[in-house]
Amino acid sequence: MYKFLFIPCVLFISSFTVIAEQTYVSGSAPWAIQIHMKEAKRYKEQTTNLNTTILKYLNDSDQAQDFNKYTKSWEQYVNDTCAVVAITSGTSGTRRSVYAAKCQEGLNYNRYFATKNALKCVKRVKNKKYIERGEKFNCLLQTFNIKVY
């Protein structure tokens, strides 16, 4: 008797997990938006972790303050740039949102890659015997040089 009750209960409970995940048809615009935004979020989180590590290497409070200020303004830059990309895509509706999401992914990837290189540079400079004040700053400038696609 309990076997017959177990199977419907499992099916009933598993249906809630499918609904909660909000799956979209592969290749659809909402699916593409979901994929691009998931990747953008992943790159953003990795960049935040790298920024925290870079700040540990900075012993100049002015540079650390400027770096923090730029990091905070980055989010606004990405939003504004991707809004323009979406508008100028020549599409409408959800396809426009796909362009915005793809832009967010691309800019956050570029930011992650540049920040990763800046951290390598800061670590390399730290190991030198004599470090000029400007050397670490030059490493940080790498994060400002980001291509916009």
Side-chain angles (χ1 to χ4, degrees):
M1 166 110 182
Y2 292 114
K3 285 186 204 177
F4 298 111
L5 290 175
F6 179 75
I7 293 172
C9 287
V10 169
L11 292 175
F12 180 74
I13 292 169
S14 65
S15 67
F16 284 115
T17 58
V18 172
I19 292 169
E21 288 177 6
Q22 191 74 23
T23 55
Y24 296 106
V25 176
S26 180
S28 68
W31 174 82
I33 293 166
Q34 184 179 33
I35 296 297
H36 291 302
M37 292 308 291
K38 182 179 177 183
E39 287 299 301
K41 181 181 177 186
R42 183 171 67 92
Y43 290 128
K44 211 183 290 187
E45 288 170 356
Q46 290 175 341
T47 302
T48 301
N49 293 337
L50 291 172
N51 287 340
T52 303
T53 306
I54 286 174
L55 285 171
K56 291 177 185 175
Y57 284 100
L58 296 179
N59 50 8
D60 186 337
S61 63
D62 290 337
Q63 288 179 0
Q65 188 176 11
D66 289 343
F67 186 70
N68 276 330
K69 188 188 305 181
Y70 179 74
T71 300
K72 289 176 185 173
S73 67
W74 171 252
E75 191 97 12
Q76 186 64 40
Y77 168 77
V78 170
N79 291 338
D80 293 346
T81 301
C82 292
V84 170
V85 166
I87 290 168
T88 59
S89 67
T91 61
S92 60
T94 54
R95 293 304 302 166
R96 183 179 281 185
S97 298
V98 171
Y99 279 95
K102 192 172 181 178
C103 171
Q104 292 235 352
E105 179 187 1
L107 288 176
N108 281 298
Y109 171 76
N110 288 339
R111 173 77 172 175
Y112 163 72
F113 186 74
T115 306
K116 188 175 171 182
N117 286 334
L119 178 59
K120 287 179 187 177
C121 181
V122 168
K123 284 181 178 180
R124 187 175 59 246
V125 168
K126 180 189 172 280
N127 293 332
K128 290 183 175 181
K129 279 189 172 185
Y130 177 74
I131 303 171
E132 291 183 27
R133 184 176 185 273
E135 285 187 79
K136 285 185 183 176
F137 185 69
N138 287 334
C139 291
L140 296 180
L141 284 177
Q142 291 184 39
T143 59
F144 301 141
N145 298 326
I146 296 174
K147 298 175 186 174
V148 178
Y149 295 103

